[in-house]
Amino acid sequence: MAGEQLNYLNVWLADDFETAKIVVSRINETDYLPIVVTLITGDDYMNTPMKSLITALVLSICLIAGYSFASAGNEKDELKSDKVTFFWSPTSAISSSVAVPQSYNRLLFSGTVAPLLNKGGKTTYERYGNTEKQAIGILEKLKADLKTKGLSLTDVTYLRVYVAPDPNKANTPDYQGWFDAYALFFNTKENPVKTARSTVGVQSLVSPDYLIEVEAEVAYKNNSKANK
């Protein structure tokens, strides 16, 4: 969302991740709370040499107060949160699940296909692009549609994706093309959200030119008086 106040997570990942503790420091009580989260080891942390910390995994990412990220071991507590919570592994580009509290509304997008690039193109690639190019076009359309509604890609919770065979790739679905496009919009510095996601290979879509179709689910805060 344009003009939003962003918050930052500074994460130190210790050698013993399983025993890491989360220390949350809330800086102020504005609508968007700047939050500092530090992952440390157990009681002997103060005696642990700094060189033992995995400094390569220090992350600086944006966190909007409308959602949170669940760490290992506190899933049950996170399910009680009044914010949208994403459950994911640090090694995965997507969430395994997303919890949406009752105080949020759901917005569902029908399957969206790529925009036409060149009406006079002689091939699928010339008219609509390859799978990656089509996926980028679809996500740009989704981003623009969300903006008209006062929302953004940070509000997306789930994507269902259908990938059709690409004649230029031995008639097999170009999954990597889709994954590469997704990585430009999600799990980035600008948008750290990792959506829950399903990617399905299909025999065909409604047009032989379409190599990918994307459905989306969005969650946004219900600000009606009944929910205050």
Side-chain angles (χ1 to χ4, degrees):
M1 289 171 281
E4 67 203 358
Q5 194 173 348
L6 297 179
N7 312 281
Y8 294 89
L9 273 163
N10 292 314
V11 181
W12 284 94
L13 182 62
D15 289 332
D16 187 0
F17 181 80
E18 294 303 320
T19 62
K21 294 180 180 179
I22 298 179
V23 180
V24 178
S25 179
R26 295 196 172 189
I27 310 303
N28 60 37
E29 294 298 327
T30 60
D31 287 339
Y32 296 99
L33 299 174
I35 299 174
V36 177
V37 177
T38 305
L39 295 183
I40 61 177
T41 53
D43 297 333
D44 293 332
Y45 170 73
M46 296 304 295
N47 298 322
T48 302
M50 286 298 291
K51 65 181 180 180
S52 70
L53 298 176
I54 307 176
T55 56
L57 243 60
V58 176
L59 307 177
S60 292
I61 60 176
C62 301
L63 175 65
I64 298 173
Y67 60 81
S68 62
F69 303 113
S71 62
N74 71 337
E75 287 88 350
K76 290 183 179 179
D77 291 335
E78 290 293 342
L79 285 175
K80 302 174 185 177
S81 173
D82 60 353
K83 299 175 182 178
V84 174
T85 303
F86 296 81
F87 297 87
W88 48 263
S89 161
T91 60
S92 177
I94 64 175
S95 292
S96 59
S97 57
V98 182
V100 180
Q102 193 173 9
S103 57
Y104 279 73
N105 289 330
R106 292 175 66 209
L107 178 64
L108 307 181
F109 283 83
S110 296
T112 303
V113 294
L116 180 64
L117 302 176
N118 179 9
K119 186 176 182 180
K122 296 180 179 180
T123 67
T124 293
Y125 280 15
E126 290 178 359
R127 288 187 293 271
Y128 290 91
N130 60 13
T131 300
E132 180 178 1
K133 184 70 175 179
Q134 290 193 22
I136 290 172
I138 291 169
L139 293 178
E140 288 287 3
K141 285 169 67 174
L142 175 62
K143 181 179 179 180
D145 196 337
L146 287 168
K147 186 176 181 180
T148 65
K149 295 175 171 63
L151 302 171
S152 74
L153 291 176
T154 62
D155 299 302
V156 177
T157 57
Y158 180 71
L159 296 172
R160 182 180 293 106
V161 184
Y162 306 96
V163 186
D166 183 344
N168 295 288
K169 292 185 177 291
N171 254 356
T172 59
D174 183 11
Y175 296 116
Q176 190 59 51
W178 156 239
F179 299 153
D180 290 344
Y182 171 90
L184 298 175
F185 295 85
F186 298 96
N187 192 27
T188 66
K189 182 179 180 180
E190 294 76 20
N191 179 19
V193 164
K194 299 181 180 183
T195 68
R197 189 183 77 191
S198 299
T199 300
V200 182
V202 296
Q203 183 176 0
S204 65
L205 295 171
V206 294
S207 167
D209 275 341
Y210 297 150
L211 301 177
I212 185 168
E213 182 175 327
V214 180
E215 299 173 0
E217 294 192 17
V218 173
Y220 62 97
K221 187 72 174 178
N222 186 343
N223 292 317
S224 65
K225 293 182 179 180
N227 285 278
K228 291 184 178 180

